[in-house]
Amino acid sequence: SVRGRTVESRESPLKREFVWYIAHQDEIVKQYDGRYVVIKDCKVIGAYNDQSSAIAETTKTYPLGTF
């Protein structure tokens, strides 16, 4: 605990998504080869040909930094 906050509260909100990605990386790469995938709530919610499209489309529904 640091000044009343737990260490967990300082971790990135996207850590859980990253851990899920690493655990499923082989199948994600196989299915979405070369595409930019958007992961939210431990599932792929979109796949795009470029990073700009991935961000532009996903931010229509979810705030930046939550996926």
Side-chain angles (χ1 to χ4, degrees), residues 37-52:
V37 295
V38 178
I39 298 171
K40 172 94 172 135
D41 298 326
C42 296
K43 62 185 173 196
V44 175
I45 62 167
Y48 303 90
N49 291 326
D50 58 77
Q51 183 179 11
S52 297

Side-chain angles (χ1 to χ4, degrees), residues 22-67:
I22 294 300
H24 297 87
Q25 185 175 12
D26 290 342
E27 62 195 79
I28 292 169
V29 169
K30 184 183 263 187
Q31 185 172 352
Y32 300 102
D33 184 35
R35 300 189 78 200
Y36 288 79
V37 295
V38 178
I39 298 171
K40 172 94 172 135
D41 298 326
C42 296
K43 62 185 173 196
V44 175
I45 62 167
Y48 303 90
N49 291 326
D50 58 77
Q51 183 179 11
S52 297
S53 296
I55 293 170
E57 289 302 313
T58 308
T59 55
K60 289 177 182 178
T61 308
Y62 302 101
L64 191 60
T66 65
F67 56 88

